[in-house]
């Protein structure tokens, strides 16, 4: 495997020990509702993930066996989305995650993140090849179904609410409300998902960013001021780990444009 690009920001505040990881776990995982792992190797993989050592987190997670699949998928997914520069490599990474997550579903059908990471990866892959093309390949149905399954298994999974809101918004934005209905997308559900995500995880910069994007996609310029405020709020968030820092930097970059 090629060497991944290093996390480009100072990570000193994001270096956890097993004890501090456990102490801050609920806050760090308010988005994905992941339970604290008993396996010491998986804890080490998560420590690497939160510090922004995404390739090491992926490798340690994979080496830990089935218990490490989620951290491996999250590390690869976040890396691919934020740091991988080559589009072909990025898309391949998303397909790898989706395949691993689908295999994980067979072994752990009640694991919400087995469903979530399949949806995340296919959703990002779909954005990469174009939403319209992804819908024509049936990926929209898969993404929506996997996210709904995630929420059914973990009703407090804020990230799944964000992603499901984004699904409704992206589909309607790209193909319109009428065709969107054929994909199960509607404005009211999208708005509700974004709102619920922020209630579940009020510190989440990515929830603010995605809600801002969703408001404009679903309701147009009349929500622009609200969207701009959400971006400002996201930029002012305080990161607890590398992933959150990447989200905050994304918001800051958008505000500077």
């Amino acid at each position: 495997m090629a060497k991944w690009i290093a996390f480009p920001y100072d990570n000193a505040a994001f270096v956890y020990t097993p004890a501090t990881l456990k102490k801050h776990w609920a806050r760090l995982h308010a988005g994905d509702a992941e339970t604290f792992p008993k396996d010491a190797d998986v804890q080490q993989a998560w420590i690497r993930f939160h510090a922004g050592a995404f390739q090491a987190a992926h490798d340690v997670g994979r080496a830990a066996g089935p218990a490490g699949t989620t951290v491996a998928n999250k590390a690869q997914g976040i890396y691919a989305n934020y740091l991988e520069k080559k589009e072909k490599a990025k898309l391949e990474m998303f397909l790898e995650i989706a395949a691993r997550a689908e295999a994980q579903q067979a072994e752990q059908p009640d694991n919400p993140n087995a469903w979530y990471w399949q949806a995340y990866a296919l959703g990002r892959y779909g954005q990469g090849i174009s939403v319209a093309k992804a819908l024509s390949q049936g990926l929209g149905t898969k993404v929506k179904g996997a996210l709904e399954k995630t929420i059914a298994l973990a009703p407090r999974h804020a990230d799944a609410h964000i992603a499901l809101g984004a699904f409704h918004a992206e589909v309607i934005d790209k193909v319109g409300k009428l065709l969107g209905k054929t994909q199960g997308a509607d404005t009211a559900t999208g708005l509700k998902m974004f709102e619920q995500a922020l209630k579940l995880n009020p510190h989440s910069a990515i929830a603010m960013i995605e809600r801002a994007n969703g408001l404009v996609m679903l309701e147009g310029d009349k929500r622009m001021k609200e969207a701009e405020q959400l971006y400002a709020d996201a930029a002012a968030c305080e990161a607890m780990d590398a992933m959150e820092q990447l989200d905050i930097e994304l918001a800051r970059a958008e505000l500077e444009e």
Side-chain angles (χ1 to χ4, degrees):
M1 185 186 286
K3 188 170 168 56
W4 294 5
I5 296 162
F7 178 69
Y9 305 102
D10 180 19
N11 73 344
F14 311 142
V15 178
Y16 293 92
T17 65
T20 58
L21 179 70
K22 189 170 187 178
K23 181 182 176 182
H24 295 289
W25 186 264
R27 165 65 179 80
L28 288 165
H29 290 270
D32 66 5
E34 181 73 4
T35 54
F36 185 77
K38 294 173 184 173
D39 187 296
D41 289 338
V42 179
Q43 290 174 23
Q44 287 299 324
W46 280 114
I47 285 168
R48 286 160 175 77
F49 171 82
H50 291 300
F54 296 122
Q55 189 164 23
H58 165 272
D59 293 349
V60 174
R62 292 291 305 278
T69 300
T70 295
V71 63
N73 283 347
K74 187 166 188 173
Q76 186 166 325
I78 297 305
Y79 170 79
N81 190 51
Y82 290 94
L83 297 175
E84 178 54 55
K85 300 286 191 282
K86 295 175 183 170
E87 192 64 21
K88 185 172 181 285
K90 182 183 291 197
L91 294 178
E92 285 171 356
M93 283 183 157
F94 287 138
L95 289 178
E96 283 174 10
I97 295 163
R100 278 201 303 266
E102 193 166 356
Q104 187 184 19
Q105 291 163 15
E107 293 176 7
Q108 305 168 33
D110 295 332
N111 183 336
N113 282 318
W115 299 92
Y116 175 74
W117 284 104
Q118 180 195 30
Y120 180 96
L122 290 178
R124 293 300 189 197
Y125 175 81
Q127 288 173 326
I129 64 170
S130 92
V131 171
K133 190 173 179 182
L135 293 175
S136 73
Q137 293 178 9
L139 294 183
T141 305
K142 264 194 169 180
V143 169
K144 182 172 180 282
L147 290 171
E148 288 171 346
K149 178 77 171 177
T150 305
I151 292 169
L153 290 168
R156 296 189 63 79
H157 199 298
D159 291 347
H161 284 82
I162 296 169
L164 191 51
F167 165 82
H168 287 275
E170 289 266 5
V171 170
I172 288 168
D173 182 57
K174 299 300 185 294
V175 304
K177 288 186 179 181
L178 201 60
L179 279 175
K181 275 189 178 178
T182 67
Q183 298 289 333
D186 74 272
T187 298
T189 304
L191 293 172
K192 182 183 168 188
M193 289 296 130
F194 289 127
E195 189 178 338
Q196 184 66 12
L198 266 174
K199 279 183 183 172
L200 290 168
N201 192 9
H203 305 288
S204 172
I206 195 62
M208 297 170 197
I209 290 167
E210 292 288 5
R211 187 181 185 201
N213 295 341
L215 287 176
V216 176
M217 281 192 272
L218 291 169
E219 300 209 303
D221 288 348
K222 67 180 181 181
R223 304 300 292 269
M224 187 61 77
K225 276 199 171 177
E226 196 176 338
E228 287 170 353
Q229 185 57 54
L230 282 163
Y231 262 94
D233 292 345
C237 284
E238 197 169 322
M240 286 283 288
D241 75 350
M243 180 186 74
E244 291 184 10
Q245 189 67 49
L246 290 168
D247 293 332
I248 291 164
E249 296 298 337
L250 181 68
R252 288 173 180 167
E254 185 70 22
L255 288 172
E256 286 169 9
E257 284 183 4

